[in-house]
Amino acid sequence: MDQKLRLPVGILGNAASMLLYAAPILTFSRVIRKKSTEEFSCTPYIIALLNCLLYTWYGLPVVSYKWENFPVVTINGLGILLEFSFIMIYLYFASANRKRKVVMLTIPVTLVFCFTAILSAFAFHDHHHRKMFVGSIGLAASITMYGSPLVVMKQVIQTKSVEFMPFYLSLFSFLASSLWMAYGLLSRDLFLASPNLVGSPLGILQLLLYCKYRKVGITEEPKEWDLEKNYTKNMPHLKTSAEKDEEKSMQSLKVTPPAKDDEQSTVNFQLVVTDATNGQRGTM
C-alpha cells in the first residue's frame, strides 16, 4: 500500500516544489522592473541552490539504489536552474556591497557541494554509506533552507508589513514540505522526511503571519503635487508669501469699472467729434 501511494505523492510533491521554485519569478520581475533588489535578501536562494544540488546528487544512481528516488532528481534539477537564474539576476541589480556578500556566501556553498560529491563517490563504496553521508549533509542544508525565512519573518513582525514576504512563496513552501514529508515517510527515508518536519510548521507560521499583517498593504510614496494640493486644501491659512503675492497680482489685473470723470471725458470727446463732423457737412 505504501509503495502504491509513494509515486502519486512524489508527483504531487514535484508539482508543489515546482511552484515553490517558480514563486520568486514574481519577486524578480519586480526587481527587474525597478532595477533594484530593494530589501530582498539573496540568502534563501543560495541555501535553496545548495539544497537542490545535494538532493539531486542524493537521488542519482551514484548514491541511491538505481532510480528509486527519480522524482527527487527531476524536481531538484529544475530547482538548480531556477535558483541559479535568480542569483544571477540578483547579482546584476544588487549594490556593490550586496554583490560582495552574495559572492562570499556562494563560494562556500559551491565548495561544500563539490566536497560532498567527490568524497561520497570515492571514499564510500556502497549505496548505504553514501546515502548516510550525503543525506546527513542534505538534511542540514534543508533545515537551513526552511529556517532561512526566519530572518524575513522577523522583519515582518518588526515592520508589521508582508511586503518582502511573498504569499505564494510561503504557501508553496508549506505544500511542498508537507508532501515531501509524506513521501519520505512512505519511503521510510528519514533523510527526506526529517527536514520537512521542520519546513511544514515553519510554512504554517509564515501563512499565519501573512494573514495577520496582510492588511498593512504596500505603501507608495505620494507624488509631490498631491502633497502640495492637500497642503493648501487642508491648511489654507498657512499659504506661503509667494502664493499671497501671486494672488495680489492676479487681483490687480481684474477689470475695474471706469470712474465718473473718465465717463464724462469720454462723453465730451464724443460731442466734439460730432460737432466737427456736422461742421464739415455744412461747408460741403
Side-chain angles (χ1 to χ4, degrees):
M1 184 66 182
D2 291 347
Q3 295 301 321
K4 291 181 180 180
L5 290 174
R6 182 169 170 264
L7 182 59
V9 172
I11 294 173
L12 292 174
N14 264 358
S17 295
M18 183 174 64
L19 294 173
L20 171 63
Y21 292 139
I25 290 176
L26 298 176
T27 299
F28 282 92
S29 64
R30 170 176 170 172
V31 169
I32 294 171
R33 186 174 66 254
K34 294 192 173 184
K35 297 181 180 180
S36 171
T37 58
E38 299 179 281
E39 296 300 321
F40 292 109
S41 174
C42 194
T43 303
Y45 308 109
I46 298 173
I47 302 301
L49 176 63
L50 175 61
N51 181 75
C52 291
L53 287 169
L54 289 171
Y55 274 98
T56 300
W57 183 251
Y58 181 86
L60 290 173
V62 179
V63 178
S64 296
Y65 181 73
K66 295 185 178 180
W67 290 102
E68 60 176 341
N69 288 315
F70 180 72
V72 178
V73 176
T74 55
I75 190 58
N76 284 285
L78 176 63
I80 291 171
L81 295 177
L82 290 174
E83 300 299 337
F84 183 77
S85 301
F86 297 148
I87 293 171
M88 290 297 102
I89 294 172
Y90 190 95
L91 279 173
Y92 185 80
F93 291 104
S95 61
N97 186 33
R98 291 194 174 186
K99 285 180 181 178
R100 194 179 306 111
K101 291 181 180 179
V102 170
V103 172
M104 290 177 64
L105 186 57
T106 305
I107 291 175
V109 161
T110 306
L111 292 176
V112 167
F113 169 70
C114 293
F115 171 78
T116 304
I118 294 172
L119 192 61
S120 62
F122 296 102
F124 301 98
H125 304 287
D126 60 276
H127 293 290
H128 175 71
H129 288 92
R130 287 174 181 173
K131 287 180 71 174
M132 290 287 293
F133 177 69
V134 178
S136 299
I137 299 176
L139 175 62
S142 293
I143 293 175
T144 305
M145 182 186 73
Y146 287 122
S148 59
L150 288 173
V151 178
V152 181
M153 292 162 66
K154 179 182 177 182
Q155 183 181 7
V156 170
I157 295 172
Q158 289 176 342
T159 61
K160 294 180 173 54
S161 172
V162 295
E163 181 177 1
F164 299 104
M165 189 179 73
F167 170 74
Y168 291 109
L169 189 62
S170 303
L171 175 63
F172 296 143
S173 176
F174 166 69
L175 292 176
S177 57
S178 299
L179 288 167
W180 283 114
M181 178 179 63
Y183 180 86
L185 293 174
L186 292 171
S187 303
R188 295 180 176 84
D189 191 333
L190 292 179
F191 292 118
L192 293 176
S194 299
N196 294 291
L197 290 172
V198 177
S200 186
L202 284 177
I204 295 174
L205 184 58
Q206 290 181 61
L207 291 174
L208 291 175
L209 281 177
Y210 191 92
C211 292
K212 182 177 180 180
Y213 295 113
R214 66 186 174 88
K215 293 183 180 179
V216 183
I218 300 173
T219 57
E220 296 182 355
E221 294 183 0
K223 296 180 180 179
E224 184 178 355
W225 64 270
D226 287 336
L227 289 175
E228 293 177 354
K229 183 177 180 181
N230 293 331
Y231 180 80
T232 56
K233 180 179 179 181
N234 297 329
M235 294 181 290
H237 59 285
L238 294 179
K239 292 181 179 179
T240 60
S241 58
E243 291 175 342
K244 293 179 180 179
D245 294 339
E246 184 178 356
E247 288 182 357
K248 290 179 180 179
S249 61
M250 291 298 293
Q251 290 176 358
S252 63
L253 292 176
K254 291 182 179 179
V255 179
T256 57
K260 292 182 178 180
D261 295 338
D262 294 338
E263 291 179 354
Q264 186 65 34
S265 61
T266 302
V267 172
N268 294 336
F269 177 76
Q270 290 177 350
L271 291 173
V272 171
V273 172
T274 303
D275 293 340
T277 304
N278 293 333
Q280 289 178 358
R281 288 178 181 177
T283 59
M284 291 175 67

